[in-house]
Amino acid sequence: MLQKIQETASFLRSKIDVIPDIAVILGTGLGELAHEISDKKEIPYEEIPNFPVSTVEGHSGKLIFGQLGGKPVLAMQGRFHYYEGYTMREVTFPVRVFQALGIRYLFVSNAAGGMNGSFDIGDIMLIDDHINVFPEHPLRGKNYKELGTRFPDMSEAYSKDLRLMAMAIAKESNIKLQHGVYVGTQGPTFETPAEYNWFRIMGGDAVGMSTVPEVIVANHAGMKVLAFSIITDLGVIGKIVEVTHEDVQEAAKIAQPKMAYIMQEVIKRIK
Ligand code: HPA
């Protein structure tokens, strides 16, 4: 595993001049931020050694190196979901490569179902914390001490400093920003009404099928994390309607410029 990570990191180092400090994972329907990146160099996942092979032909995604908010960044357009059949090590492999490159900040976005009664479709939720209900833990198995400690602390999985920055930016720009707890679940089914209710009682404000594995590994790797959910449907009693992947993509598309703005401003202000 360590050798594969190093091999992939060396390959990427050979392709770029500047190694960024910041990586961004773009979620479902949230690829627009990539248009804001200038001086782009794109590398399709198929060309990257050891990167997981896509389950959907022609839709595997790419890494984008470039400038965002005046800083060099590395963006992942398209992520690997557990429901696609990847192992947790595969889902989180890119984050290990970011670690090997020396990346210190991970920004993440996703689409999620809202369970908090005060949320509306199209809201942006800053993730304060998460609850991991995936059936497998990304750090299960041998711990490589070169990568991190056996029992990582998770008391501030989402950096407080970065969250405060994001909240200040939203306030200055009059962008409505909700915040709350993200429940990470395996999917691929959306929740039954009883499951949404269970996740809400558990302490969740939004639920989705990603992010938690990558954020756990980023924390193990000592990175600072900032993450946002776009609320694309509601799992609130009385407001639950049938939901499709297309609905999720459509709602994400509408909200994403605001989220992209906040992310870009945070990038400008860090360090
Ligand atoms: N549940 C799980 N994942 C999701 C949802 C949802 O309601 N919406 C977007 N991703």
Side-chain angles (χ1 to χ4, degrees):
M1 174 167 163
L2 295 180
Q3 201 192 329
K4 280 192 171 169
I5 295 166
Q6 286 306 333
E7 207 175 271
T8 308
S10 306
F11 168 83
L12 294 175
R13 263 189 229 106
S14 75
K15 296 278 176 193
I16 49 167
D17 305 326
V18 195
I19 307 289
D21 244 2
I22 304 161
V24 185
I25 302 177
L26 303 168
T28 304
L30 300 169
E32 200 174 282
L33 187 68
H35 300 311
E36 307 288 325
I37 301 174
S38 59
D39 305 325
K40 267 191 246 189
K41 173 157 181 90
E42 303 188 339
I43 311 175
Y45 293 162
E46 300 84 59
E47 293 176 14
I48 304 174
N50 307 320
F51 247 54
V53 175
S54 171
T55 57
V56 194
E57 220 168 305
H59 288 285
S60 59
K62 57 196 173 191
L63 285 188
I64 306 168
F65 289 91
Q67 295 282 324
L68 185 69
K71 295 202 173 70
V73 296
L74 163 51
M76 257 185 98
Q77 188 162 23
R79 58 147 63 88
F80 303 102
H81 295 94
Y82 186 71
Y83 62 75
E84 293 176 84
Y86 299 112
T87 64
M88 276 296 183
R89 296 231 184 226
E90 289 172 323
V91 168
T92 57
F93 183 76
V95 182
R96 288 303 182 196
V97 175
F98 300 162
Q99 176 180 17
L101 288 172
I103 283 173
R104 298 187 302 131
Y105 295 94
L106 182 67
F107 288 36
V108 188
S109 64
N110 61 52
M115 297 165 307
N116 183 317
S118 69
F119 288 3
D120 287 314
I121 291 175
D123 279 355
I124 304 169
M125 185 188 92
L126 177 65
I127 303 183
D128 292 328
D129 202 350
H130 74 219
I131 299 175
N132 179 16
V133 297
F134 278 90
E136 188 193 334
H137 199 284
L139 302 180
R140 178 169 180 266
K142 179 175 165 61
N143 186 64
Y144 296 91
K145 60 180 185 310
E146 298 87 336
L147 299 180
T149 180
R150 173 73 287 188
F151 299 107
D153 172 66
M154 290 293 283
S155 60
E156 198 187 312
Y158 300 81
S159 158
K160 191 162 184 202
D161 290 345
L162 295 179
R163 281 187 281 134
L164 287 173
M165 246 187 249
M167 286 194 282
I169 291 160
K171 200 166 175 204
E172 285 161 25
S173 335
N174 272 319
I175 296 173
K176 180 180 169 198
L177 184 63
Q178 306 280 17
H179 63 102
V181 172
Y182 177 88
V183 178
T185 178
Q186 65 175 315
T189 43
F190 293 112
E191 284 61 39
T192 63
E195 286 165 344
Y196 281 125
N197 197 39
W198 174 45
F199 289 155
R200 183 188 55 78
I201 293 167
M202 206 190 247
D205 296 288
V207 55
M209 307 171 197
S210 68
T211 302
V212 165
E214 295 104 314
V215 170
I216 289 173
V217 170
N219 273 272
H220 188 236
M223 293 178 201
K224 282 189 185 289
V225 175
L226 181 69
F228 299 91
S229 289
I230 288 189
I231 305 304
T232 57
D233 53 278
L234 295 174
V236 177
I237 293 167
K239 294 187 184 170
I240 298 174
V241 293
E242 197 182 320
V243 50
T244 67
H245 184 57
E246 289 67 34
D247 298 334
V248 167
Q249 285 176 309
E250 199 51 40
K253 215 161 104 184
I254 295 165
Q256 68 168 330
K258 285 183 280 181
M259 187 199 66
Y261 175 80
I262 299 174
M263 276 204 189
Q264 207 169 329
E265 282 299 311
V266 175
I267 290 172
K268 267 187 207 164
R269 293 180 196 190
I270 52 181
K271 274 193 302 171

Short mmCIF file of all heavy atoms in Angstrom, two decimals, residues 178-232:
data_model
loop_
_atom_site.label_atom_id
_atom_site.label_comp_id
_atom_site.label_asym_id
_atom_site.label_seq_id
_atom_site.Cartn_x
_atom_site.Cartn_y
_atom_site.Cartn_z
N GLN A 178 -26.45 27.24 6.27
CA GLN A 178 -26.89 26.42 7.39
C GLN A 178 -25.67 25.67 7.92
O GLN A 178 -24.65 25.60 7.25
CB GLN A 178 -27.92 25.38 6.92
CG GLN A 178 -29.12 25.95 6.19
CD GLN A 178 -30.17 26.51 7.13
OE1 GLN A 178 -29.92 26.76 8.31
NE2 GLN A 178 -31.37 26.73 6.60
N HIS A 179 -25.78 25.10 9.11
CA HIS A 179 -24.70 24.22 9.51
C HIS A 179 -25.26 23.05 10.30
O HIS A 179 -26.36 23.14 10.84
CB HIS A 179 -23.59 24.97 10.25
CG HIS A 179 -24.03 25.60 11.53
ND1 HIS A 179 -23.77 25.06 12.74
CD2 HIS A 179 -24.74 26.72 11.75
CE1 HIS A 179 -24.28 25.83 13.68
NE2 HIS A 179 -24.89 26.84 13.10
N GLY A 180 -24.53 21.95 10.31
CA GLY A 180 -25.06 20.79 11.02
C GLY A 180 -24.22 19.55 10.85
O GLY A 180 -23.08 19.59 10.36
N VAL A 181 -24.82 18.45 11.27
CA VAL A 181 -24.14 17.15 11.31
C VAL A 181 -24.54 16.32 10.08
O VAL A 181 -25.72 16.20 9.76
CB VAL A 181 -24.53 16.40 12.61
CG1 VAL A 181 -24.01 14.96 12.61
CG2 VAL A 181 -24.03 17.16 13.84
N TYR A 182 -23.52 15.79 9.42
CA TYR A 182 -23.72 14.96 8.22
C TYR A 182 -23.65 13.49 8.61
O TYR A 182 -22.70 13.06 9.28
CB TYR A 182 -22.60 15.29 7.22
CG TYR A 182 -22.59 14.48 5.93
CD1 TYR A 182 -23.31 14.89 4.82
CD2 TYR A 182 -21.82 13.32 5.83
CE1 TYR A 182 -23.27 14.16 3.62
CE2 TYR A 182 -21.77 12.58 4.64
CZ TYR A 182 -22.51 13.01 3.55
OH TYR A 182 -22.47 12.31 2.37
N VAL A 183 -24.66 12.74 8.22
CA VAL A 183 -24.64 11.29 8.44
C VAL A 183 -24.16 10.64 7.14
O VAL A 183 -24.74 10.87 6.07
CB VAL A 183 -26.05 10.76 8.81
CG1 VAL A 183 -26.04 9.25 8.98
CG2 VAL A 183 -26.56 11.44 10.08
N GLY A 184 -23.11 9.86 7.22
CA GLY A 184 -22.56 9.19 6.04
C GLY A 184 -23.02 7.75 5.99
O GLY A 184 -22.76 6.97 6.91
N THR A 185 -23.74 7.42 4.93
CA THR A 185 -24.33 6.09 4.82
C THR A 185 -23.92 5.45 3.49
O THR A 185 -23.50 6.15 2.56
CB THR A 185 -25.86 6.19 4.98
OG1 THR A 185 -26.43 4.89 4.83
CG2 THR A 185 -26.49 7.08 3.92
N GLN A 186 -24.07 4.13 3.39
CA GLN A 186 -23.54 3.46 2.19
C GLN A 186 -24.37 3.64 0.93
O GLN A 186 -23.83 3.55 -0.17
CB GLN A 186 -23.33 1.96 2.47
CG GLN A 186 -24.61 1.18 2.74
CD GLN A 186 -24.32 -0.31 2.89
OE1 GLN A 186 -23.59 -0.89 2.11
NE2 GLN A 186 -24.90 -0.92 3.91
N GLY A 187 -25.69 3.92 1.04
CA GLY A 187 -26.51 3.94 -0.17
C GLY A 187 -26.54 2.54 -0.77
O GLY A 187 -26.17 1.57 -0.10
N PRO A 188 -26.90 2.37 -2.03
CA PRO A 188 -27.29 3.40 -2.98
C PRO A 188 -28.77 3.80 -2.88
O PRO A 188 -29.20 4.68 -3.62
CB PRO A 188 -27.02 2.75 -4.34
CG PRO A 188 -27.30 1.30 -4.10
CD PRO A 188 -26.88 1.03 -2.67
N THR A 189 -29.53 3.18 -2.00
CA THR A 189 -30.92 3.63 -1.86
C THR A 189 -30.94 4.96 -1.12
O THR A 189 -30.14 5.19 -0.22
CB THR A 189 -31.75 2.62 -1.01
OG1 THR A 189 -30.96 2.21 0.12
CG2 THR A 189 -32.16 1.41 -1.81
N PHE A 190 -31.86 5.83 -1.48
CA PHE A 190 -32.17 6.97 -0.64
C PHE A 190 -32.89 6.38 0.58
O PHE A 190 -33.26 5.21 0.58
CB PHE A 190 -33.05 7.98 -1.38
CG PHE A 190 -32.33 8.65 -2.55
CD1 PHE A 190 -32.70 8.39 -3.87
CD2 PHE A 190 -31.27 9.52 -2.33
CE1 PHE A 190 -32.04 8.99 -4.94
CE2 PHE A 190 -30.60 10.13 -3.39
CZ PHE A 190 -30.98 9.86 -4.69
N GLU A 191 -33.12 7.20 1.59
CA GLU A 191 -33.66 6.67 2.84
C GLU A 191 -35.18 6.47 2.77
O GLU A 191 -35.89 7.20 2.07
CB GLU A 191 -33.35 7.63 4.00
CG GLU A 191 -31.91 7.55 4.47
CD GLU A 191 -30.89 7.92 3.41
OE1 GLU A 191 -31.15 8.86 2.63
OE2 GLU A 191 -29.85 7.23 3.34
N THR A 192 -35.64 5.51 3.55
CA THR A 192 -37.09 5.40 3.78
C THR A 192 -37.45 6.52 4.77
O THR A 192 -36.56 7.02 5.47
CB THR A 192 -37.44 4.05 4.44
OG1 THR A 192 -36.80 3.99 5.73
CG2 THR A 192 -37.02 2.86 3.59
N PRO A 193 -38.72 6.89 4.84
CA PRO A 193 -39.10 7.92 5.83
C PRO A 193 -38.65 7.53 7.24
O PRO A 193 -38.17 8.39 8.00
CB PRO A 193 -40.62 7.97 5.70
CG PRO A 193 -40.89 7.60 4.26
CD PRO A 193 -39.85 6.54 3.95
N ALA A 194 -38.75 6.25 7.58
CA ALA A 194 -38.34 5.82 8.93
C ALA A 194 -36.84 5.99 9.13
O ALA A 194 -36.37 6.35 10.21
CB ALA A 194 -38.76 4.37 9.17
N GLU A 195 -36.07 5.76 8.06
CA GLU A 195 -34.60 5.92 8.18
C GLU A 195 -34.21 7.39 8.34
O GLU A 195 -33.33 7.74 9.14
CB GLU A 195 -33.90 5.30 6.97
CG GLU A 195 -33.89 3.78 7.02
CD GLU A 195 -33.53 3.12 5.68
OE1 GLU A 195 -33.57 3.79 4.62
OE2 GLU A 195 -33.23 1.91 5.70
N TYR A 196 -34.86 8.27 7.55
CA TYR A 196 -34.58 9.71 7.72
C TYR A 196 -34.87 10.11 9.17
O TYR A 196 -34.09 10.83 9.79
CB TYR A 196 -35.48 10.56 6.79
CG TYR A 196 -35.04 10.62 5.34
CD1 TYR A 196 -35.93 10.27 4.32
CD2 TYR A 196 -33.79 11.11 4.98
CE1 TYR A 196 -35.57 10.36 2.98
CE2 TYR A 196 -33.42 11.21 3.64
CZ TYR A 196 -34.31 10.83 2.65
OH TYR A 196 -33.94 10.93 1.32
N ASN A 197 -35.98 9.62 9.70
CA ASN A 197 -36.38 9.97 11.05
C ASN A 197 -35.36 9.45 12.07
O ASN A 197 -34.98 10.15 13.01
CB ASN A 197 -37.78 9.41 11.33
CG ASN A 197 -38.42 10.06 12.53
OD1 ASN A 197 -38.27 11.28 12.74
ND2 ASN A 197 -39.09 9.28 13.34
N TRP A 198 -34.90 8.24 11.83
CA TRP A 198 -33.89 7.62 12.71
C TRP A 198 -32.60 8.45 12.70
O TRP A 198 -32.03 8.76 13.75
CB TRP A 198 -33.66 6.18 12.20
CG TRP A 198 -32.56 5.41 12.86
CD1 TRP A 198 -32.30 5.32 14.20
CD2 TRP A 198 -31.59 4.59 12.19
NE1 TRP A 198 -31.23 4.49 14.40
CE2 TRP A 198 -30.77 4.03 13.19
CE3 TRP A 198 -31.35 4.26 10.86
CZ2 TRP A 198 -29.71 3.17 12.88
CZ3 TRP A 198 -30.31 3.39 10.56
CH2 TRP A 198 -29.50 2.86 11.55
N PHE A 199 -32.17 8.84 11.52
CA PHE A 199 -30.94 9.63 11.42
C PHE A 199 -31.09 11.00 12.08
O PHE A 199 -30.13 11.55 12.62
CB PHE A 199 -30.50 9.79 9.95
CG PHE A 199 -29.99 8.53 9.30
CD1 PHE A 199 -30.04 8.36 7.91
CD2 PHE A 199 -29.42 7.51 10.06
CE1 PHE A 199 -29.55 7.21 7.30
CE2 PHE A 199 -28.92 6.36 9.46
CZ PHE A 199 -29.00 6.21 8.08
N ARG A 200 -32.30 11.55 12.01
CA ARG A 200 -32.54 12.85 12.65
C ARG A 200 -32.50 12.71 14.17
O ARG A 200 -31.84 13.48 14.86
CB ARG A 200 -33.90 13.41 12.20
CG ARG A 200 -34.22 14.79 12.74
CD ARG A 200 -35.65 15.22 12.42
NE ARG A 200 -36.65 14.27 12.90
CZ ARG A 200 -37.05 14.16 14.16
NH1 ARG A 200 -36.59 14.97 15.08
NH2 ARG A 200 -37.94 13.25 14.52
N ILE A 201 -33.17 11.64 14.67
CA ILE A 201 -33.19 11.41 16.12
C ILE A 201 -31.77 11.16 16.63
O ILE A 201 -31.38 11.58 17.72
CB ILE A 201 -34.12 10.21 16.46
CG1 ILE A 201 -35.58 10.58 16.15
CG2 ILE A 201 -33.97 9.77 17.91
CD1 ILE A 201 -36.54 9.39 16.15
N MET A 202 -30.98 10.52 15.79
CA MET A 202 -29.59 10.20 16.10
C MET A 202 -28.74 11.46 16.25
O MET A 202 -27.66 11.45 16.83
CB MET A 202 -29.09 9.40 14.88
CG MET A 202 -27.98 8.46 15.08
SD MET A 202 -27.51 7.97 13.40
CE MET A 202 -27.99 6.30 13.42
N GLY A 203 -29.21 12.56 15.66
CA GLY A 203 -28.44 13.80 15.75
C GLY A 203 -28.01 14.34 14.40
O GLY A 203 -27.23 15.30 14.33
N GLY A 204 -28.50 13.74 13.33
CA GLY A 204 -28.10 14.18 11.99
C GLY A 204 -28.97 15.31 11.46
O GLY A 204 -30.15 15.40 11.77
N ASP A 205 -28.36 16.18 10.66
CA ASP A 205 -29.10 17.24 9.97
C ASP A 205 -29.21 16.96 8.48
O ASP A 205 -30.10 17.47 7.81
CB ASP A 205 -28.39 18.58 10.18
CG ASP A 205 -28.38 18.99 11.64
OD1 ASP A 205 -29.46 19.36 12.14
OD2 ASP A 205 -27.32 18.89 12.29
N ALA A 206 -28.24 16.20 7.94
CA ALA A 206 -28.26 15.87 6.51
C ALA A 206 -27.66 14.47 6.35
O ALA A 206 -26.88 14.02 7.20
CB ALA A 206 -27.45 16.88 5.72
N VAL A 207 -28.04 13.81 5.27
CA VAL A 207 -27.52 12.45 5.04
C VAL A 207 -27.07 12.31 3.58
O VAL A 207 -27.71 12.82 2.67
CB VAL A 207 -28.57 11.36 5.40
CG1 VAL A 207 -29.90 11.56 4.69
CG2 VAL A 207 -28.05 9.95 5.12
N GLY A 208 -25.95 11.62 3.40
CA GLY A 208 -25.44 11.39 2.05
C GLY A 208 -24.58 10.13 2.01
O GLY A 208 -24.37 9.47 3.03
N MET A 209 -24.09 9.84 0.79
CA MET A 209 -23.42 8.56 0.56
C MET A 209 -21.91 8.70 0.34
O MET A 209 -21.29 7.86 -0.31
CB MET A 209 -24.03 7.86 -0.66
CG MET A 209 -25.55 7.71 -0.59
SD MET A 209 -26.22 7.13 -2.16
CE MET A 209 -27.96 7.53 -1.97
N SER A 210 -21.34 9.77 0.86
CA SER A 210 -19.90 9.98 0.61
C SER A 210 -19.25 10.69 1.79
O SER A 210 -19.74 10.62 2.91
CB SER A 210 -19.73 10.82 -0.66
OG SER A 210 -20.21 12.14 -0.44
N THR A 211 -18.15 11.34 1.51
CA THR A 211 -17.46 12.31 2.39
C THR A 211 -16.83 11.74 3.66
O THR A 211 -15.66 12.00 3.94
CB THR A 211 -18.42 13.50 2.73
OG1 THR A 211 -18.83 14.08 1.48
CG2 THR A 211 -17.79 14.53 3.62
N VAL A 212 -17.64 10.98 4.45
CA VAL A 212 -17.12 10.49 5.73
C VAL A 212 -15.83 9.66 5.58
O VAL A 212 -14.85 9.92 6.31
CB VAL A 212 -18.25 9.74 6.49
CG1 VAL A 212 -17.71 8.90 7.63
CG2 VAL A 212 -19.29 10.74 7.00
N PRO A 213 -15.76 8.72 4.62
CA PRO A 213 -14.50 7.97 4.50
C PRO A 213 -13.29 8.87 4.20
O PRO A 213 -12.24 8.75 4.84
CB PRO A 213 -14.75 7.01 3.32
CG PRO A 213 -16.24 6.91 3.21
CD PRO A 213 -16.79 8.22 3.68
N GLU A 214 -13.47 9.79 3.25
CA GLU A 214 -12.36 10.68 2.88
C GLU A 214 -11.95 11.59 4.05
O GLU A 214 -10.77 11.85 4.26
CB GLU A 214 -12.75 11.57 1.68
CG GLU A 214 -13.00 10.82 0.37
CD GLU A 214 -14.48 10.70 0.05
OE1 GLU A 214 -15.28 10.34 0.96
OE2 GLU A 214 -14.85 10.96 -1.11
N VAL A 215 -12.96 12.05 4.80
CA VAL A 215 -12.67 12.96 5.91
C VAL A 215 -11.95 12.22 7.05
O VAL A 215 -11.05 12.76 7.69
CB VAL A 215 -13.96 13.67 6.40
CG1 VAL A 215 -13.73 14.42 7.70
CG2 VAL A 215 -14.47 14.63 5.32
N ILE A 216 -12.34 10.98 7.29
CA ILE A 216 -11.66 10.20 8.33
C ILE A 216 -10.18 10.03 7.95
O ILE A 216 -9.28 10.25 8.76
CB ILE A 216 -12.34 8.83 8.52
CG1 ILE A 216 -13.71 9.01 9.21
CG2 ILE A 216 -11.46 7.88 9.33
CD1 ILE A 216 -14.56 7.74 9.29
N VAL A 217 -9.93 9.65 6.71
CA VAL A 217 -8.55 9.44 6.27
C VAL A 217 -7.77 10.76 6.28
O VAL A 217 -6.61 10.81 6.68
CB VAL A 217 -8.51 8.72 4.90
CG1 VAL A 217 -7.11 8.72 4.31
CG2 VAL A 217 -9.00 7.28 5.06
N ALA A 218 -8.41 11.84 5.89
CA ALA A 218 -7.74 13.15 5.92
C ALA A 218 -7.34 13.51 7.35
O ALA A 218 -6.25 14.04 7.59
CB ALA A 218 -8.65 14.22 5.33
N ASN A 219 -8.21 13.19 8.30
CA ASN A 219 -7.87 13.45 9.70
C ASN A 219 -6.73 12.56 10.18
O ASN A 219 -5.84 13.01 10.90
CB ASN A 219 -9.11 13.27 10.59
CG ASN A 219 -9.92 14.55 10.68
OD1 ASN A 219 -9.68 15.40 11.54
ND2 ASN A 219 -10.87 14.71 9.77
N HIS A 220 -6.77 11.31 9.78
CA HIS A 220 -5.68 10.38 10.11
C HIS A 220 -4.36 10.93 9.57
O HIS A 220 -3.31 10.78 10.19
CB HIS A 220 -6.00 9.01 9.47
CG HIS A 220 -5.09 7.90 9.87
ND1 HIS A 220 -4.41 7.15 8.94
CD2 HIS A 220 -4.76 7.38 11.07
CE1 HIS A 220 -3.70 6.22 9.56
NE2 HIS A 220 -3.90 6.33 10.86
N ALA A 221 -4.47 11.59 8.41
CA ALA A 221 -3.29 12.14 7.73
C ALA A 221 -2.89 13.52 8.27
O ALA A 221 -1.92 14.10 7.80
CB ALA A 221 -3.57 12.24 6.23
N GLY A 222 -3.66 14.04 9.22
CA GLY A 222 -3.33 15.33 9.83
C GLY A 222 -3.73 16.54 9.00
O GLY A 222 -3.22 17.64 9.22
N MET A 223 -4.64 16.35 8.05
CA MET A 223 -5.08 17.50 7.24
C MET A 223 -6.20 18.25 7.94
O MET A 223 -6.92 17.69 8.76
CB MET A 223 -5.64 17.01 5.89
CG MET A 223 -4.63 16.38 4.99
SD MET A 223 -5.47 15.79 3.48
CE MET A 223 -4.27 14.59 2.94
N LYS A 224 -6.33 19.53 7.55
CA LYS A 224 -7.47 20.32 8.02
C LYS A 224 -8.57 20.20 6.97
O LYS A 224 -8.30 20.34 5.78
CB LYS A 224 -7.08 21.78 8.18
CG LYS A 224 -6.28 22.04 9.44
CD LYS A 224 -6.13 23.54 9.62
CE LYS A 224 -5.25 23.91 10.79
NZ LYS A 224 -5.82 23.64 12.09
N VAL A 225 -9.80 19.97 7.44
CA VAL A 225 -10.90 19.69 6.52
C VAL A 225 -11.98 20.78 6.61
O VAL A 225 -12.30 21.26 7.69
CB VAL A 225 -11.55 18.32 6.86
CG1 VAL A 225 -12.78 18.06 6.01
CG2 VAL A 225 -10.53 17.19 6.71
N LEU A 226 -12.51 21.13 5.43
CA LEU A 226 -13.69 21.99 5.35
C LEU A 226 -14.65 21.31 4.38
O LEU A 226 -14.24 20.94 3.28
CB LEU A 226 -13.30 23.38 4.82
CG LEU A 226 -14.46 24.38 4.72
CD1 LEU A 226 -14.95 24.79 6.10
CD2 LEU A 226 -14.05 25.62 3.94
N ALA A 227 -15.91 21.14 4.78
CA ALA A 227 -16.84 20.42 3.90
C ALA A 227 -18.23 21.05 3.91
O ALA A 227 -18.68 21.60 4.92
CB ALA A 227 -16.93 18.96 4.32
N PHE A 228 -18.87 20.96 2.75
CA PHE A 228 -20.22 21.50 2.58
C PHE A 228 -21.13 20.46 1.96
O PHE A 228 -20.71 19.72 1.06
CB PHE A 228 -20.20 22.69 1.60
CG PHE A 228 -19.36 23.83 2.03
CD1 PHE A 228 -18.03 23.91 1.67
CD2 PHE A 228 -19.91 24.85 2.81
CE1 PHE A 228 -17.24 24.99 2.06
CE2 PHE A 228 -19.12 25.93 3.20
CZ PHE A 228 -17.80 26.00 2.83
N SER A 229 -22.40 20.47 2.40
CA SER A 229 -23.44 19.69 1.74
C SER A 229 -24.38 20.65 1.06
O SER A 229 -24.72 21.69 1.63
CB SER A 229 -24.27 18.89 2.75
OG SER A 229 -23.53 17.85 3.31
N ILE A 230 -24.82 20.28 -0.13
CA ILE A 230 -25.92 21.03 -0.72
C ILE A 230 -27.17 20.17 -0.51
O ILE A 230 -27.18 18.97 -0.80
CB ILE A 230 -25.65 21.34 -2.20
CG1 ILE A 230 -24.56 22.43 -2.24
CG2 ILE A 230 -26.93 21.83 -2.90
CD1 ILE A 230 -24.28 23.04 -3.56
N ILE A 231 -28.18 20.80 0.07
CA ILE A 231 -29.40 20.06 0.40
C ILE A 231 -30.24 19.94 -0.88
O ILE A 231 -30.74 20.94 -1.40
CB ILE A 231 -30.19 20.79 1.52
CG1 ILE A 231 -29.30 21.01 2.77
CG2 ILE A 231 -31.47 20.02 1.87
CD1 ILE A 231 -28.68 19.77 3.37
N THR A 232 -30.34 18.72 -1.37
CA THR A 232 -30.99 18.51 -2.67
C THR A 232 -32.38 17.90 -2.54
O THR A 232 -33.12 17.85 -3.52
CB THR A 232 -30.12 17.60 -3.56
OG1 THR A 232 -29.89 16.37 -2.86
CG2 THR A 232 -28.79 18.25 -3.90
#
